[in-house]
Amino acid sequence: MIGVFDSGYGGLTVLKPLLEKLPEYDYIYLGDNARTPYGTRSEDTVKRYTEQAVEYLFSRGATLIITACNTVSALGLRHVQKKYLRDQNVKDKKILGVIRPLVEYAAKTTKSKRVSVVGTRGTIQSKVYEIEMEYLDSEIKVYSKSCPLLVPLIEEHWHYKPETMMILKKYLRPLKSKNTDVMILGCTHYPLIYKKFNKIMGKKVNVLDSGKIVARSLEDYLKRHPEIETKLAKGSSRSYVTTDCPDRFKEFANKELGLGIKDVKTVKLWE
Ligand code: DGL
């Protein structure tokens, strides 16, 4: 089973393209809605929450976990990879994040060698995108900007209102002057306002479709790692669990992503 973990609803923007690209696998989606947002929390807190989520997903039978949340991929991923997978005997389990595939795609497609990144405060302050890019191609310059108001606006369905466009314009102004030709949406929620990013950044900037890139990268990964792929159950089952209200989860998932989810369970990850 593939476990997809996010701080709340946002990871559904990653899950949806995964389900479209790789529908044959069993999936469990865990949203820690009771403790969202993670983007404003400390590294230690994100690490602790990530540990609890990973333990839960392993206990439910996931052998491959995708941390769909950028903040988790930035602050918690290494920690859980070290804690749970360091043991040489753990060959059949994996935890993968979303940052590496996005950086690889951006590096491959930028011609100007100037890339912009937007994300939560936690992700941007961690400099994870700059670090990963430096590792891949040190000639590429990364310009980043945190946009902390966007997640609450989207969760309140305020992204349909003109105020969101005004706020987004302000956030993106400093990035527009950097003449980048690729933009990474480094937060699960931002693809929900993809058109707004596109409109503001203009034709010269390729705003990446994060979920699709992650899905394609996972498909490649599974081809390269049959030892993991063959362990994944292929019954096309889907389970959705949240740490908060199942009805609100269902409403968001169905309204914003059209997932047609019928059943959502509540789980307690901590005492
Ligand atoms: N899922 C988070 C991310 O991609 C956004 C929401 C949050 O701050 O928890 O960074």
Side-chain angles (χ1 to χ4, degrees), residues 6-8 10-11 35-40 68-72 119-120 123 151 155 186-189:
D6 183 55
S7 55
R35 301 187 291 194
T36 201
Y38 281 15
T40 50
C69 179
N70 275 261
T71 309
V72 168
T120 64
T123 299
V151 167
E155 298 229 338
C187 171
T188 49
H189 287 60

PDB file of all heavy atoms in Angstrom, residues 6-8 10-11 35-40 68-72 119-120 123 151 155 186-189, ligand 1:
ATOM      1  N   ASP A   6      -0.042  14.217   4.620  1.00  0.00           N
ATOM      2  CA  ASP A   6       0.007  15.677   4.547  1.00  0.00           C
ATOM      3  C   ASP A   6      -0.482  16.255   5.873  1.00  0.00           C
ATOM      4  O   ASP A   6      -1.140  15.573   6.657  1.00  0.00           O
ATOM      5  CB  ASP A   6      -0.891  16.184   3.397  1.00  0.00           C
ATOM      6  CG  ASP A   6      -0.796  17.701   3.262  1.00  0.00           C
ATOM      7  OD1 ASP A   6       0.328  18.204   3.122  1.00  0.00           O
ATOM      8  OD2 ASP A   6      -1.834  18.381   3.341  1.00  0.00           O
ATOM      9  N   SER A   7      -0.172  17.524   6.078  1.00  0.00           N
ATOM     10  CA  SER A   7      -0.636  18.198   7.292  1.00  0.00           C
ATOM     11  C   SER A   7      -2.158  18.380   7.265  1.00  0.00           C
ATOM     12  O   SER A   7      -2.745  18.708   8.290  1.00  0.00           O
ATOM     13  CB  SER A   7       0.043  19.560   7.391  1.00  0.00           C
ATOM     14  OG  SER A   7      -0.204  20.301   6.203  1.00  0.00           O
ATOM     15  N   GLY A   8      -2.787  18.201   6.136  1.00  0.00           N
ATOM     16  CA  GLY A   8      -4.249  18.385   6.085  1.00  0.00           C
ATOM     17  C   GLY A   8      -4.804  17.997   4.740  1.00  0.00           C
ATOM     18  O   GLY A   8      -4.569  16.894   4.249  1.00  0.00           O
ATOM     19  N   GLY A  10      -4.203  19.669   1.796  1.00  0.00           N
ATOM     20  CA  GLY A  10      -3.387  20.083   0.653  1.00  0.00           C
ATOM     21  C   GLY A  10      -2.804  18.929  -0.134  1.00  0.00           C
ATOM     22  O   GLY A  10      -2.748  18.972  -1.369  1.00  0.00           O
ATOM     23  N   GLY A  11      -2.396  17.881   0.559  1.00  0.00           N
ATOM     24  CA  GLY A  11      -1.750  16.752  -0.102  1.00  0.00           C
ATOM     25  C   GLY A  11      -2.654  16.053  -1.111  1.00  0.00           C
ATOM     26  O   GLY A  11      -2.198  15.249  -1.930  1.00  0.00           O
ATOM     27  N   ARG A  35      -3.935  19.441  13.435  1.00  0.00           N
ATOM     28  CA  ARG A  35      -2.739  20.205  13.822  1.00  0.00           C
ATOM     29  C   ARG A  35      -2.202  21.063  12.679  1.00  0.00           C
ATOM     30  O   ARG A  35      -1.109  21.594  12.752  1.00  0.00           O
ATOM     31  CB  ARG A  35      -1.650  19.245  14.336  1.00  0.00           C
ATOM     32  CG  ARG A  35      -2.133  18.445  15.527  1.00  0.00           C
ATOM     33  CD  ARG A  35      -1.061  17.645  16.154  1.00  0.00           C
ATOM     34  NE  ARG A  35      -0.589  16.539  15.325  1.00  0.00           N
ATOM     35  CZ  ARG A  35       0.163  15.560  15.782  1.00  0.00           C
ATOM     36  NH1 ARG A  35       0.509  15.540  17.057  1.00  0.00           N
ATOM     37  NH2 ARG A  35       0.573  14.591  14.979  1.00  0.00           N
ATOM     38  N   THR A  36      -2.992  21.144  11.602  1.00  0.00           N
ATOM     39  CA  THR A  36      -2.573  21.979  10.483  1.00  0.00           C
ATOM     40  C   THR A  36      -2.718  23.452  10.893  1.00  0.00           C
ATOM     41  O   THR A  36      -3.568  23.746  11.748  1.00  0.00           O
ATOM     42  CB  THR A  36      -3.438  21.648   9.229  1.00  0.00           C
ATOM     43  OG1 THR A  36      -2.760  22.071   8.070  1.00  0.00           O
ATOM     44  CG2 THR A  36      -4.800  22.285   9.290  1.00  0.00           C
ATOM     45  N   PRO A  37      -1.932  24.401  10.424  1.00  0.00           N
ATOM     46  CA  PRO A  37      -0.865  24.250   9.453  1.00  0.00           C
ATOM     47  C   PRO A  37       0.470  23.862  10.091  1.00  0.00           C
ATOM     48  O   PRO A  37       0.743  24.200  11.242  1.00  0.00           O
ATOM     49  CB  PRO A  37      -0.759  25.658   8.855  1.00  0.00           C
ATOM     50  CG  PRO A  37      -1.137  26.561   9.987  1.00  0.00           C
ATOM     51  CD  PRO A  37      -2.163  25.808  10.785  1.00  0.00           C
ATOM     52  N   TYR A  38       1.278  23.138   9.328  1.00  0.00           N
ATOM     53  CA  TYR A  38       2.626  22.803   9.769  1.00  0.00           C
ATOM     54  C   TYR A  38       3.611  23.924   9.391  1.00  0.00           C
ATOM     55  O   TYR A  38       4.672  24.039   9.968  1.00  0.00           O
ATOM     56  CB  TYR A  38       3.122  21.521   9.073  1.00  0.00           C
ATOM     57  CG  TYR A  38       2.596  20.214   9.627  1.00  0.00           C
ATOM     58  CD1 TYR A  38       1.512  20.151  10.480  1.00  0.00           C
ATOM     59  CD2 TYR A  38       3.226  19.021   9.266  1.00  0.00           C
ATOM     60  CE1 TYR A  38       1.048  18.927  10.955  1.00  0.00           C
ATOM     61  CE2 TYR A  38       2.784  17.796   9.744  1.00  0.00           C
ATOM     62  CZ  TYR A  38       1.689  17.753  10.588  1.00  0.00           C
ATOM     63  OH  TYR A  38       1.247  16.542  11.053  1.00  0.00           O
ATOM     64  N   GLY A  39       3.219  24.690   8.371  1.00  0.00           N
ATOM     65  CA  GLY A  39       4.131  25.672   7.791  1.00  0.00           C
ATOM     66  C   GLY A  39       4.599  26.763   8.727  1.00  0.00           C
ATOM     67  O   GLY A  39       5.584  27.450   8.460  1.00  0.00           O
ATOM     68  N   THR A  40       3.906  26.920   9.862  1.00  0.00           N
ATOM     69  CA  THR A  40       4.302  27.960  10.814  1.00  0.00           C
ATOM     70  C   THR A  40       4.954  27.340  12.056  1.00  0.00           C
ATOM     71  O   THR A  40       5.259  28.034  13.013  1.00  0.00           O
ATOM     72  CB  THR A  40       3.053  28.752  11.257  1.00  0.00           C
ATOM     73  OG1 THR A  40       2.057  27.800  11.658  1.00  0.00           O
ATOM     74  CG2 THR A  40       2.491  29.597  10.137  1.00  0.00           C
ATOM     75  N   ALA A  68       3.585  14.187   1.021  1.00  0.00           N
ATOM     76  CA  ALA A  68       3.082  15.140   0.022  1.00  0.00           C
ATOM     77  C   ALA A  68       3.289  16.585   0.466  1.00  0.00           C
ATOM     78  O   ALA A  68       3.392  17.484  -0.357  1.00  0.00           O
ATOM     79  CB  ALA A  68       1.593  14.877  -0.215  1.00  0.00           C
ATOM     80  N   CYS A  69       3.362  16.775   1.770  1.00  0.00           N
ATOM     81  CA  CYS A  69       3.516  18.109   2.347  1.00  0.00           C
ATOM     82  C   CYS A  69       4.958  18.605   2.140  1.00  0.00           C
ATOM     83  O   CYS A  69       5.914  17.924   2.511  1.00  0.00           O
ATOM     84  CB  CYS A  69       3.206  18.007   3.836  1.00  0.00           C
ATOM     85  SG  CYS A  69       3.355  19.533   4.735  1.00  0.00           S
ATOM     86  N   ASN A  70       5.079  19.790   1.568  1.00  0.00           N
ATOM     87  CA  ASN A  70       6.417  20.357   1.357  1.00  0.00           C
ATOM     88  C   ASN A  70       7.112  20.655   2.676  1.00  0.00           C
ATOM     89  O   ASN A  70       8.315  20.482   2.801  1.00  0.00           O
ATOM     90  CB  ASN A  70       6.311  21.671   0.569  1.00  0.00           C
ATOM     91  CG  ASN A  70       6.270  21.427  -0.915  1.00  0.00           C
ATOM     92  OD1 ASN A  70       7.258  21.546  -1.602  1.00  0.00           O
ATOM     93  ND2 ASN A  70       5.098  21.045  -1.413  1.00  0.00           N
ATOM     94  N   THR A  71       6.345  21.135   3.651  1.00  0.00           N
ATOM     95  CA  THR A  71       6.949  21.474   4.937  1.00  0.00           C
ATOM     96  C   THR A  71       7.501  20.205   5.599  1.00  0.00           C
ATOM     97  O   THR A  71       8.600  20.216   6.166  1.00  0.00           O
ATOM     98  CB  THR A  71       5.903  22.158   5.853  1.00  0.00           C
ATOM     99  OG1 THR A  71       5.294  23.229   5.129  1.00  0.00           O
ATOM    100  CG2 THR A  71       6.541  22.688   7.110  1.00  0.00           C
ATOM    101  N   VAL A  72       6.774  19.118   5.494  1.00  0.00           N
ATOM    102  CA  VAL A  72       7.253  17.842   6.036  1.00  0.00           C
ATOM    103  C   VAL A  72       8.476  17.372   5.236  1.00  0.00           C
ATOM    104  O   VAL A  72       9.483  16.934   5.811  1.00  0.00           O
ATOM    105  CB  VAL A  72       6.131  16.771   6.003  1.00  0.00           C
ATOM    106  CG1 VAL A  72       6.683  15.383   6.269  1.00  0.00           C
ATOM    107  CG2 VAL A  72       5.047  17.115   7.008  1.00  0.00           C
ATOM    108  N   GLY A 119       6.444  29.010  -1.054  1.00  0.00           N
ATOM    109  CA  GLY A 119       6.065  27.955  -0.112  1.00  0.00           C
ATOM    110  C   GLY A 119       5.681  28.546   1.230  1.00  0.00           C
ATOM    111  O   GLY A 119       5.561  29.776   1.380  1.00  0.00           O
ATOM    112  N   THR A 120       5.528  27.676   2.207  1.00  0.00           N
ATOM    113  CA  THR A 120       5.210  28.148   3.556  1.00  0.00           C
ATOM    114  C   THR A 120       6.471  28.750   4.179  1.00  0.00           C
ATOM    115  O   THR A 120       7.586  28.574   3.664  1.00  0.00           O
ATOM    116  CB  THR A 120       4.751  26.989   4.465  1.00  0.00           C
ATOM    117  OG1 THR A 120       5.849  26.065   4.613  1.00  0.00           O
ATOM    118  CG2 THR A 120       3.546  26.259   3.902  1.00  0.00           C
ATOM    119  N   THR A 123       9.079  25.976   5.014  1.00  0.00           N
ATOM    120  CA  THR A 123       9.794  25.449   3.838  1.00  0.00           C
ATOM    121  C   THR A 123      10.813  26.468   3.339  1.00  0.00           C
ATOM    122  O   THR A 123      11.978  26.129   3.091  1.00  0.00           O
ATOM    123  CB  THR A 123       8.786  25.123   2.709  1.00  0.00           C
ATOM    124  OG1 THR A 123       7.885  24.131   3.199  1.00  0.00           O
ATOM    125  CG2 THR A 123       9.478  24.611   1.465  1.00  0.00           C
ATOM    126  N   VAL A 151      -2.370  29.643   2.557  1.00  0.00           N
ATOM    127  CA  VAL A 151      -2.993  28.395   3.046  1.00  0.00           C
ATOM    128  C   VAL A 151      -4.320  28.690   3.760  1.00  0.00           C
ATOM    129  O   VAL A 151      -5.363  28.117   3.402  1.00  0.00           O
ATOM    130  CB  VAL A 151      -2.012  27.573   3.928  1.00  0.00           C
ATOM    131  CG1 VAL A 151      -2.748  26.474   4.677  1.00  0.00           C
ATOM    132  CG2 VAL A 151      -0.907  26.978   3.063  1.00  0.00           C
ATOM    133  N   GLU A 155      -7.996  27.407   2.539  1.00  0.00           N
ATOM    134  CA  GLU A 155      -8.795  26.514   3.405  1.00  0.00           C
ATOM    135  C   GLU A 155     -10.166  27.107   3.710  1.00  0.00           C
ATOM    136  O   GLU A 155     -11.121  26.390   3.974  1.00  0.00           O
ATOM    137  CB  GLU A 155      -8.029  26.207   4.697  1.00  0.00           C
ATOM    138  CG  GLU A 155      -6.736  25.472   4.395  1.00  0.00           C
ATOM    139  CD  GLU A 155      -6.503  24.230   5.218  1.00  0.00           C
ATOM    140  OE1 GLU A 155      -7.088  24.108   6.297  1.00  0.00           O
ATOM    141  OE2 GLU A 155      -5.704  23.376   4.773  1.00  0.00           O
ATOM    142  N   GLY A 186       5.940  25.341  -4.180  1.00  0.00           N
ATOM    143  CA  GLY A 186       6.467  24.481  -3.121  1.00  0.00           C
ATOM    144  C   GLY A 186       5.549  24.373  -1.924  1.00  0.00           C
ATOM    145  O   GLY A 186       6.005  24.431  -0.777  1.00  0.00           O
ATOM    146  N   CYS A 187       4.270  24.245  -2.185  1.00  0.00           N
ATOM    147  CA  CYS A 187       3.287  24.071  -1.108  1.00  0.00           C
ATOM    148  C   CYS A 187       2.093  23.359  -1.724  1.00  0.00           C
ATOM    149  O   CYS A 187       1.662  23.692  -2.840  1.00  0.00           O
ATOM    150  CB  CYS A 187       2.861  25.426  -0.550  1.00  0.00           C
ATOM    151  SG  CYS A 187       1.456  25.310   0.588  1.00  0.00           S
ATOM    152  N   THR A 188       1.570  22.395  -0.983  1.00  0.00           N
ATOM    153  CA  THR A 188       0.492  21.559  -1.517  1.00  0.00           C
ATOM    154  C   THR A 188      -0.750  22.343  -1.947  1.00  0.00           C
ATOM    155  O   THR A 188      -1.467  21.912  -2.846  1.00  0.00           O
ATOM    156  CB  THR A 188       0.037  20.562  -0.436  1.00  0.00           C
ATOM    157  OG1 THR A 188      -0.189  21.308   0.770  1.00  0.00           O
ATOM    158  CG2 THR A 188       1.054  19.477  -0.216  1.00  0.00           C
ATOM    159  N   HIS A 189      -1.011  23.453  -1.268  1.00  0.00           N
ATOM    160  CA  HIS A 189      -2.245  24.194  -1.558  1.00  0.00           C
ATOM    161  C   HIS A 189      -2.170  25.029  -2.837  1.00  0.00           C
ATOM    162  O   HIS A 189      -3.189  25.340  -3.428  1.00  0.00           O
ATOM    163  CB  HIS A 189      -2.570  25.148  -0.402  1.00  0.00           C
ATOM    164  CG  HIS A 189      -3.065  24.472   0.825  1.00  0.00           C
ATOM    165  ND1 HIS A 189      -2.320  23.541   1.500  1.00  0.00           N
ATOM    166  CD2 HIS A 189      -4.233  24.600   1.512  1.00  0.00           C
ATOM    167  CE1 HIS A 189      -3.010  23.124   2.547  1.00  0.00           C
ATOM    168  NE2 HIS A 189      -4.172  23.745   2.578  1.00  0.00           N
TER     169      HIS A 189
HETATM  170  N1  DGL B   1       0.974  21.060   3.338  1.00  0.00           N
HETATM  171  C1  DGL B   1       1.727  22.246   3.628  1.00  0.00           C
HETATM  172  C2  DGL B   1       2.909  22.365   2.655  1.00  0.00           C
HETATM  173  O1  DGL B   1       2.888  21.837   1.556  1.00  0.00           O
HETATM  174  C3  DGL B   1       0.869  23.483   3.602  1.00  0.00           C
HETATM  175  C4  DGL B   1      -0.104  23.565   4.765  1.00  0.00           C
HETATM  176  C5  DGL B   1       0.572  23.659   6.098  1.00  0.00           C
HETATM  177  O2  DGL B   1       1.240  24.681   6.376  1.00  0.00           O
HETATM  178  O3  DGL B   1       0.430  22.730   6.870  1.00  0.00           O
HETATM  179  O4  DGL B   1       3.885  22.968   2.990  1.00  0.00           O
END
